[in-house]
Amino acid sequence: ASFDAANKQHVATCLPNTRCDVLAQIRRWVDGDGGQRIYWLKGWAGTGKSTIALTVAREYSGKKRLGASFFFSRSGGDLASTRRFAATIAVQLAESSPELHERISNAVASRPSIRGLGLYDQWKSLVLEPLAHLGGEAFSQPLVIVVDALDECDNKDDVSLLVRCLAAAVTVEQVDLRIFVTSRPDQPMNVSFDGISTDAHQDFILHDIKQSIVNHDLAVYYKHQLGQLARASRLDAAFFSDENIQTLVQKSCRLFIYAATVCRFVHDGEPFAGKRLAHIVSAERLPTRAGAELDRMYMTVLEYSLTAKLDPEETERIRELFRRVVGTIVVLFDALSPTSLAMLLDQSKETIALPLSSLHSLLDVPEEEDRLIRLLHPSFREFLLDAQRCTHAMFCIDAKKAHRHLFDCCLRIMAGYLRQDMCDLGRPGMRVGDIPRSDVNKKVPFAVQYACRYWAYHLERSDVDPQGHGGIAEFFETRFLFWLETLALIGRLADGIAMLQLLESRRGQNPSILRAVVYDAKRFLRSHSSIIEEAPLQVYCSALVFSPEASIIRQLYIHQLPKWIVRAPALSEDWSVHLQTLSHPSAVSAVAFSPDGRLIVSGSDDNTVRVWDAATGAERHRLVLRGHSCSVRAVAFSPDGRLIVSGSGDETTVRVWDAATGAERRVLRGHSRWVSAVAFSPDGRLIVSGSGDDKVRVWDAATGAERHVRRDQNQNPILRFLSLSSCGTHVVTDRGILRLPSSDCRCLHHIFATRSWITHDGEELLYLHPDYQDSLKIVSGSVIISTGRLSHALQLDLSKRERHAEERIGEHLPSPPQVWTDVG
């Protein structure tokens, strides 16, 4: 992601005597003492934003004043995501100061779970807090952070959140940060920056620079690039005459991507460089539409690169390969290496290389098999997918057909590779966090990971009718659990819920078997997502045991229960009316929906406020709002959904939080006993809170100023969960098990239940679904689960399980177990 990464080693910076005005303004901004600490350089596609960003990063790196850089890329895998943004910036910042290195290292060491946090929580722990605790003399001059192509981040919600992260960073007083950001001026970017005061950031519109200045810079660029080629190839000086240069400048229409593509194209055809340049110079201009010259340029490159000197049969072969290979590259949701692309398409690497070898002026095609294929500029993708712009039938890509082909490829590769226990763990309670990522990538090739993550999205953008596609039904009948396990292993289980919802929305109006299966699969995943995400092999244990008898997924996969589960309880006939259980470690005292219905906020006896995605049940950015010192009794969203207010049993505070970042905005103090109710006024300007001190207080949401009215608000305190195990040797609390001193543990031969797990000799075996965690006890060698007036037995025989056996779970599948419906 950084400016000096290997994928940018051949990317040039601004040439001397070009971009002088804009670079001078950026230098004045960096070195000045103004209050505008964020500089937003915005411009149309192809106007040279990334080149300027690279120039700024290299210049201030040479001055030892570059704190960090991150260059987004839509076709660059993690470079299109904010998932690793905070960690990437932190690692680079740590290299700029020994003191900062120590503080960031300590932050990581003190919070091992940091990699699982959301963007703002990571940013706060890895960047904001270490910077805030620096000594005042750590940096004598402003420190620069460069963030390029922010519009190529694949999640618009994350863009807004990242802009807030940057805005928070420049408020840290201990260091003078200057953050340089580039992007297209599209609507999501405008909205994100509108949330920052104009006193805090400065804008510069790159495409508004005077035409004469841009033309001068383009002329300098052409003379330099073509002059180098002429000297290396011993071409005549007429090759880069002033007349040719001025013609190219006019054709460029202010777009530096046009100039760069021309020069790459001419250079790639070195023996025919003169002929290629003459063709471009002499071609008639396409009038009317802006960007028409860029389209003509792309067409010229494609025609010369792929069809020159080919007979009709060869032309048809190249046409088919172009659509299959390049058509795939431009619709991929994530970049792939040549090896992974060949695997996904079920083609040889030589076949993949054939149409790519002539397109180096348009694509970054690596020589190394494990590096990613990238578009040199996103405008090429936009050109190929638009039949109005790409008018040659040989090159225009039909997006729906390309997505359909990729959808079929994803189903095929999942059928060939997915299996039970993909990483050969053998331990049903093994946590994802304890599995090295390198082991996952070795066992689950990137092409398989891609297929698992995106098959439903390719289906959505294709013309496929799910009801008439037999491969989808086969997938659910034979590989659904394997898919969930694999998504959990690669940290993408939440994507599974979104894909099932997407598939359900395309199921059509007529009832069908597939419709019922998809609905049941969604209920199955919603019900068990929290434990599958944490311990993937529980999809074959806990998820099957605690699903209702009528569940289609349970019926299809019940034979995959491990042998040590002798009998599975019959807990319910069908899914209950509630869709999902979202679990705090302690009692939940308050819940509320956001105004748009997309989020849920909850308050708990664990002193935290949590934010959940209402559709998927996943914790939103894993936000855990910490600050209260006692139970949270009340929560509410502001009318615009941007703030959360919470009241606590800590008897003093109402706290206001940023709903997107989790940052604490302010603490309202005044109550003398627990706060039991909170709410915003309809216009969001006031907050009202009620307390056990018999007071209702009204606060100004912006300033925290208060007024109060006496009112009877008496409440009873809430007790925390506490119980004694049936054998009298363990105390079970909401946080785990405490063994009593000098006790003789006879809990079913060292098998006992915490609130969340059945364990054996200290190893977690079977996760207990939250719906049944408070209703079980161990009696006479069985786990008894109460549902209403009935009790159900879950019987285990651990003699059938060797804890250290190398035999993989499910390798020899047992016959379906007998089901007990009622044991009194």
Side-chain angles (χ1 to χ4, degrees):
S2 63
F3 82 96
D4 54 356
N7 61 349
K8 289 179 281 293
Q9 60 184 326
H10 300 303
V11 180
T13 55
C14 296
L15 291 173
N17 301 317
T18 64
R19 299 302 206 184
C20 297
D21 289 347
V22 64
L23 289 173
Q25 185 181 116
I26 293 169
R27 293 184 187 109
R28 287 194 297 271
W29 164 75
V30 172
D31 300 325
D33 56 1
Q36 294 175 314
R37 304 291 181 84
I38 297 177
Y39 190 109
W40 179 24
L41 180 70
K42 50 186 175 179
W44 296 329
T47 51
K49 302 182 296 297
S50 293
T51 304
I52 294 173
L54 192 66
T55 301
V56 172
R58 288 195 185 281
E59 179 176 331
Y60 282 91
S61 175
K63 295 178 179 179
K64 308 297 182 186
R65 292 177 55 195
L66 181 69
S69 60
F70 196 105
F71 283 65
F72 281 93
S73 174
R74 185 166 295 157
S75 58
D78 284 332
L79 298 184
S81 168
T82 61
R83 291 181 66 206
R84 301 187 180 183
F85 179 83
T88 301
I89 297 297
V91 167
Q92 297 176 59
L93 284 172
E95 297 173 354
S96 64
S97 160
E99 182 184 355
L100 192 53
H101 185 286
E102 181 180 0
R103 294 191 179 281
I104 292 174
S105 297
N106 290 342
V108 175
S110 63
R111 197 171 186 181
S113 62
I114 200 166
R115 64 180 175 181
L117 301 179
L119 172 60
Y120 193 86
D121 282 339
Q122 283 193 354
W123 184 256
K124 180 180 178 182
S125 297
L126 294 176
V127 178
L128 298 183
E129 291 176 352
L131 288 174
H133 290 91
L134 284 177
E137 304 300 323
F139 298 101
S140 59
Q141 292 180 294
L143 197 64
V144 181
I145 294 177
V146 175
V147 180
D148 178 60
L150 185 52
D151 55 291
E152 294 201 35
C153 177
D154 58 8
N155 187 312
K156 300 308 178 187
D157 290 336
D158 284 353
V159 169
S160 177
L161 183 56
L162 191 146
V163 171
R164 294 193 195 184
C165 289
L166 301 179
V170 298
T171 64
V172 177
E173 297 180 356
Q174 284 72 11
V175 58
D176 187 355
L177 278 184
R178 305 297 167 99
I179 299 179
F180 180 76
V181 182
T182 76
S183 78
R184 298 188 195 190
D186 55 17
Q187 186 62 18
M189 296 301 307
N190 291 329
V191 171
S192 298
F193 277 95
D194 284 346
I196 303 177
S197 167
T198 54
D199 294 334
H201 82 280
Q202 175 179 345
D203 297 353
F204 188 94
I205 304 174
L206 193 56
H207 51 262
D208 282 354
I209 296 177
K210 290 175 60 177
Q211 182 78 48
S212 59
I213 296 175
V214 177
N215 287 351
H216 167 269
D217 292 347
L218 284 166
V220 171
Y221 177 82
Y222 276 121
K223 286 180 180 179
H224 177 268
Q225 296 296 102
L226 297 179
Q228 277 190 331
L229 177 59
R231 288 187 292 273
S233 304
R234 305 191 181 206
L235 298 174
D236 189 87
F239 180 77
F240 58 104
S241 65
D242 287 344
E243 183 180 358
N244 280 353
I245 296 296
Q246 288 307 311
T247 300
L248 291 172
V249 167
Q250 293 303 314
K251 285 177 173 288
S252 298
C253 299
R254 304 175 65 100
L255 298 179
F256 279 83
I257 186 59
Y258 181 98
T261 305
V262 166
C263 294
R264 281 195 301 267
F265 173 62
V266 172
H267 182 273
D268 288 347
E270 190 169 334
F272 308 101
K275 184 177 180 181
R276 287 188 172 192
L277 182 64
H279 180 82
I280 293 171
V281 170
S282 62
E284 293 182 5
R285 293 192 60 182
L286 296 176
T288 66
R289 189 168 47 84
E293 278 301 320
L294 183 62
D295 295 350
R296 188 175 183 86
M297 155 62 61
Y298 283 144
M299 191 70 72
T300 299
V301 172
L302 291 172
E303 290 175 341
Y304 261 76
S305 301
L306 296 176
T307 64
K309 300 181 180 179
L310 295 179
D311 60 37
E313 184 177 339
E314 291 172 328
T315 300
E316 183 58 32
R317 169 68 173 156
I318 287 294
R319 174 180 181 173
E320 178 59 30
L321 284 177
F322 180 85
R323 288 182 172 178
R324 186 183 308 167
V325 178
V326 180
T328 292
I329 291 171
V330 298
V331 300
L332 284 173
F333 293 106
D334 201 349
L336 294 174
S337 68
T339 300
S340 296
L341 183 61
M343 182 179 178
L344 181 63
L345 297 181
D346 196 24
Q347 299 288 329
S348 68
K349 287 181 281 190
E350 292 74 23
T351 301
I352 294 294
L354 190 58
L356 300 181
S357 59
S358 302
L359 295 177
H360 288 274
S361 56
L362 300 172
L363 299 170
D364 179 9
V365 183
E367 295 182 4
E368 301 88 345
E369 294 182 352
D370 59 343
R371 283 186 54 208
L372 303 178
I373 303 170
R374 304 177 188 276
L375 301 178
L376 289 173
H377 200 271
S379 60
F380 181 53
R381 175 194 294 111
E382 297 159 2
F383 165 74
L384 289 179
L385 296 176
D386 189 343
Q388 303 267 323
R389 297 174 60 186
C390 183
T391 56
H392 196 306
M394 177 174 176
F395 305 121
C396 187
I397 303 299
D398 185 321
K400 286 189 176 182
K401 289 183 178 179
H403 282 294
R404 175 170 189 152
H405 177 59
L406 271 173
F407 166 65
D408 289 335
C409 289
C410 288
L411 287 187
R412 172 187 48 76
I413 201 169
M414 288 193 294
Y417 282 87
L418 295 188
R419 60 179 174 85
Q420 188 173 356
D421 197 3
M422 289 286 290
C423 289
D424 300 312
L425 303 176
R427 295 172 54 194
M430 186 76 167
R431 302 298 205 275
V432 168
D434 296 329
I435 309 169
R437 182 70 189 193
S438 59
D439 289 355
V440 175
N441 291 338
K442 183 178 179 180
K443 297 286 188 177
V444 188
F446 287 108
V448 179
Q449 294 186 30
Y450 181 92
C452 288
R453 289 177 58 187
Y454 296 115
W455 67 269
Y457 297 107
H458 287 301
L459 172 65
E460 177 194 25
R461 288 163 175 78
S462 73
D463 54 2
V464 173
D465 177 9
Q467 306 293 341
H469 197 289
I472 299 177
E474 182 188 15
F475 166 79
F476 280 100
E477 291 170 2
T478 61
R479 288 177 291 280
F480 177 67
L481 295 195
F482 306 157
W483 176 60
L484 297 186
E485 178 200 334
T486 304
L487 285 177
L489 287 169
I490 64 176
R492 296 285 183 173
L493 191 66
D495 293 349
I497 298 176
M499 284 188 273
L500 291 178
Q501 291 176 320
L502 186 66
L503 189 60
E504 190 176 32
S505 69
R506 289 175 60 89
R507 64 191 181 185
Q509 299 300 318
N510 298 323
S512 68
I513 296 176
L514 178 61
R515 181 177 181 177
V517 170
V518 173
Y519 172 78
D520 190 77
K522 186 184 71 172
R523 293 299 307 267
F524 182 91
L525 180 52
R526 274 183 175 274
S527 182
H528 306 293
S529 59
S530 61
I531 188 55
I532 298 172
E533 185 175 40
E534 186 176 354
L537 293 187
Q538 287 298 304
V539 73
Y540 311 106
C541 304
S542 174
L544 291 176
V545 166
F546 292 103
S547 292
E549 279 193 279
S551 165
I552 298 173
I553 297 300
R554 172 176 163 139
Q555 292 173 1
L556 288 171
Y557 293 96
I558 194 66
H559 62 280
Q560 294 195 12
L561 278 174
K563 290 181 291 186
W564 46 268
I565 300 181
V566 180
R567 292 183 176 88
L571 297 173
S572 60
E573 177 63 26
D574 207 343
W575 297 106
S576 63
V577 292
H578 79 268
L579 295 176
Q580 190 171 30
T581 302
L582 312 179
S583 182
H584 281 265
S586 297
V588 177
S589 306
V591 293
F593 272 99
S594 62
D596 61 6
R598 296 173 62 185
L599 301 177
I600 297 170
V601 62
S602 58
S604 168
D605 281 4
D606 63 6
N607 307 346
T608 68
V609 177
R610 297 174 191 255
V611 182
W612 314 82
D613 187 299
T616 66
E619 283 193 53
R620 188 63 177 264
H621 300 299
R622 296 188 179 273
L623 288 183
V624 179
L625 313 184
R626 303 182 188 278
H628 288 293
S629 59
C630 196
S631 303
V632 178
R633 301 291 186 85
V635 292
F637 272 99
S638 62
D640 61 6
R642 301 183 68 174
L643 298 177
I644 294 170
V645 63
S646 60
S648 169
D650 54 18
E651 299 183 357
T652 59
T653 64
V654 174
R655 295 176 187 265
V656 183
W657 316 82
D658 188 300
T661 67
E664 187 177 85
R665 288 287 188 89
R666 59 190 58 87
V667 180
L668 312 180
R669 302 182 185 277
H671 286 293
S672 60
R673 297 190 67 189
W674 60 84
V675 177
S676 54
V678 292
F680 276 92
S681 61
D683 61 5
R685 298 174 62 183
L686 299 175
I687 295 172
V688 61
S689 59
S691 166
D693 61 5
D694 302 336
K695 297 287 196 309
V696 173
R697 297 177 185 269
V698 180
W699 316 80
D700 186 293
T703 67
E706 68 159 311
R707 293 168 291 169
H708 60 83
V709 180
R710 175 175 290 278
R711 192 174 183 180
D712 186 0
Q713 288 287 115
N714 289 323
Q715 297 283 331
N716 293 320
I718 300 174
L719 298 177
R720 299 176 66 84
F721 173 84
L722 184 70
S723 70
L724 191 66
S725 65
S726 58
C727 63
T729 61
H730 292 80
V731 176
V732 184
T733 73
D734 56 325
R735 295 189 178 273
I737 296 177
L738 299 175
R739 182 172 176 175
L740 299 179
S742 304
S743 64
D744 180 18
C745 180
R746 296 187 178 89
C747 291
L748 191 55
H749 305 293
H750 303 285
I751 301 173
F752 55 84
T754 69
R755 187 177 183 186
S756 302
W757 284 86
I758 293 176
T759 69
H760 177 229
D761 286 344
E763 180 182 343
E764 294 167 333
L765 292 182
L766 182 65
Y767 176 75
L768 301 171
H769 191 280
D771 288 349
Y772 306 106
Q773 286 176 1
D774 295 326
S775 64
L776 62 88
K777 61 179 73 174
I778 296 175
V779 177
S780 302
S782 293
V783 179
I784 303 301
I785 302 170
S786 301
T787 55
R789 292 178 296 171
L790 298 180
S791 295
H792 308 269
L794 166 64
Q795 189 169 354
L796 310 179
D797 184 353
L798 272 290
S799 66
K800 295 186 177 182
R801 176 180 184 269
E802 295 180 11
R803 292 178 58 231
H804 301 289
E806 295 182 0
E807 175 181 286
R808 196 173 70 244
I809 295 176
E811 187 169 350
H812 302 291
L813 300 176
S815 58
Q818 176 184 351
V819 176
W820 289 8
T821 57
D822 180 18
V823 295

